[in-house]
């Protein structure tokens, strides 16, 4: 088989790039290890920057997002018994975010790929990348007991943190930067009315909590838990009781609880791999970087990688202009690191760090006190939350 761009990974990054390139007449094949249902079964992010939403519309996949997604013009931070609002609309000259589940967004992308005859291979086992520096790369994989080879011009590694692409860059070339946090997030999805029309990030002495949503009948909640906790340690009742303890009383009083339809624990890490290019391989999304979810940047930092790659590959095929490809890693990393900073800052400000010095605990409180005493500080938070420019 031959294609112009072979994309490894059928998550949101890979699918969005495939869809955008298709609309420019550029041929792609997406190789996804899991089944479509498995990919759609993952419960992930829920907040889209306006830049990501614009890309979905450009990919002709934004119709359901615009119909079912919720525009949010602010969110709340609960701290020290207070509930303060960050007015995104006010501090960004009218910008906002869209609350729309990654699962739904990925479903929309799959349906668009199918509608347009896109080539998405599921069950692609043993994907391996070859001749990345030769100018004539190819990718091999197995499906069942058959082996396949795809010759291509470029390979895009959109195969997430545990994928094969980043690991295809030689150890003496790849530089990795990582910070692992001493806690994780226990998340619950429940068919209940959300406790608040806007997201609530709660800093509490027992630990961080987050009240989010997918729709007016589907709520998403998280609580910070020690890394040693296992899912079986947390019954639904135990989860609701702990969440209630961490919310302001007036919020807790209106919390509607119900059975969890999904429950999972995820560790928190900050991670960046450099460079994001090796020969004719380009990394995008979680394959190259991971953020703690506190700043809702995970999917959104993938968006700028896709935006840069989409334009760079289009310029290459349409105009023979390789400037975008040559500059991709530098440009993508510049915005990736700003998302890393923001995610680290939100995480550091809102979580309980068991090994903090008392001085550091005071700094955390001061970070919040300064934030809500300064229009400039709130404007800085808001511009990051709605999304820095691509
Ligand atoms: N071969 C083929 N596919 C693979 C391989 C492999 N060796 N390894 C991983 N994959 C697939 C995974 O099954 C997954 O569907 O690559 C896809 C990567 O998707 P994501 O992990 O969702 O990464 P990305 O598309 O960059 O999206 C980033 O997802 O994890 C969240 O918080 C993250 O919201 C962010 C978003
Ligand atoms: C979510 O709804 O899953 C969510 C929202 C905001 C975050 C993290 C997760 O910062």
């Amino acid at each position: 088989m031959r294609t112009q761009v072979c994309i490894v990974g059928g998550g949101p990054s890979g699918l969005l790039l495939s869809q955008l390139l298709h609309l420019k007449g550029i041929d792609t094949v997406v190789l996804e290890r899991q089944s479509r249902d498995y990919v759609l079964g993952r419960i992930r992010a829920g907040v889209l920057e306006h830049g990501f939403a614009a890309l979905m519309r450009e990919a002709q996949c934004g119709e359901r997002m615009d119909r079912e997604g919720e525009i949010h013009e602010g969110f709340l931070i609960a701290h020290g018994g207070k509930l303060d609002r960050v007015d995104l609309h006010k501090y960004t000259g009218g910008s906002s975010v869209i609350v729309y589940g990654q699962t739904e967004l990925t479903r929309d992308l799959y349906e668009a790929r199918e509608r347009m005859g896109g080539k998405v291979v599921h069950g692609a086992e043993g994907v391996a990348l070859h001749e990345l520096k030769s100018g004539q790369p190819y990718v091999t994989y197995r499906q069942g007991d058959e082996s396949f080879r795809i010759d291509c011009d470029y390979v895009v590694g959109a195969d997430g943190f545990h994928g094969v692409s980043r690991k295809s860059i030689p150890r003496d070339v790849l530089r990795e930067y990582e910070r692992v946090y001493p806690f994780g997030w226990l998340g619950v999805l429940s068919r209940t009315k959300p406790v608040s029309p806007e997201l609530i990030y709660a800093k509490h002495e027992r630990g961080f909590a987050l009240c989010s949503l997918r729709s007016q009948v589907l709520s998403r909640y998280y609580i910070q838990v020690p890394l040693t906790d296992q899912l079986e340690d947390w019954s639904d009742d135990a989860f609701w009781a702990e969440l209630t303890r961490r919310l302001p009383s007036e919020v807790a009083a209106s919390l509607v609880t119900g059975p969890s339809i999904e429950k999972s624990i995820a560790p928190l890490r900050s991670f960046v791999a450099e460079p994001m290019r090796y020969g004719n391989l380009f990394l995008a999304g979680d394959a190259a970087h991971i953020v703690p979810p506190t700043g809702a940047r995970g999917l959104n930092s993938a968006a700028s990688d896709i935006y840069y790659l989409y334009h760079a590959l289009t310029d290459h095929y349409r105009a023979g202009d390789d400037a975008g490809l040559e500059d991709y890693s530098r440009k993508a990393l510049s915005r990736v690191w700003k998302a890393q900073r923001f995610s680290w800052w939100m995480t550091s400000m809102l979580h309980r760090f068991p090994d903090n010095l008392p001085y550091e605990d005071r700094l955390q409180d001061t970070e919040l006190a300064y934030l809500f005493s300064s229009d400039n500080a709130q404007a800085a938070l808001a511009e990051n939350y709605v999304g820095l420019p691509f």
Side-chain angles (χ1 to χ4, degrees), residues 8-14 31-34 39 42 44-45 102 124 127 158-164 284-287 298-299 302:
V8 186
S13 296
L31 300 179
E32 166 55 49
R33 179 163 60 185
Q34 307 291 353
V39 175
R42 298 182 187 125
R44 292 284 176 71
Q102 179 173 316
V127 169
D159 47 351
F161 184 69
H162 300 289
V164 66
D286 272 18
L299 187 53

Side-chain angles (χ1 to χ4, degrees), residues 83-105:
L83 201 51
D84 284 315
R85 181 167 188 265
V86 177
D87 189 336
L88 299 172
H89 190 269
K90 169 185 172 186
Y91 287 113
T92 61
S95 191
S96 56
V97 292
I98 293 182
V99 172
Y100 185 63
Q102 179 173 316
T103 306
E104 301 318 313
L105 176 142

Side-chain angles (χ1 to χ4, degrees), residues 300-355:
N300 294 302
S301 34
S304 44
D305 298 346
I306 297 311
Y307 177 84
Y308 298 140
L309 269 180
Y310 159 52
H311 285 282
L313 288 164
T314 303
D315 290 349
H316 167 79
Y317 284 110
R318 284 271 181 100
D321 174 359
D322 285 358
L325 291 175
E326 297 305 319
D327 197 33
Y328 169 70
S329 183
R330 180 202 65 77
K331 196 167 185 184
L333 283 167
S334 168
R335 191 174 185 273
V336 159
W337 275 109
K338 293 186 181 86
Q340 291 281 326
R341 183 208 68 83
F342 178 66
S343 304
W344 161 83
W345 176 75
M346 285 281 277
T347 303
S348 304
M349 180 169 70
L350 296 171
H351 286 76
R352 182 176 170 281
F353 286 76
D355 299 334

Side-chain angles (χ1 to χ4, degrees), residues 26 59 61 119 156 211 228 294 317 334 343 345 360 379:
I26 297 166
C61 298
K119 292 189 282 294
V156 173
C211 303
T228 47
T294 326
Y317 284 110
S334 168
S343 304
W345 176 75
E360 290 166 317

Side-chain angles (χ1 to χ4, degrees), residues 142-154:
R142 294 186 316 279
Q143 199 178 29
D145 53 12
E146 278 195 270
S147 295
F148 298 87
R149 165 174 168 150
I150 302 180
D151 290 279
C152 51
D153 300 331
Y154 297 104

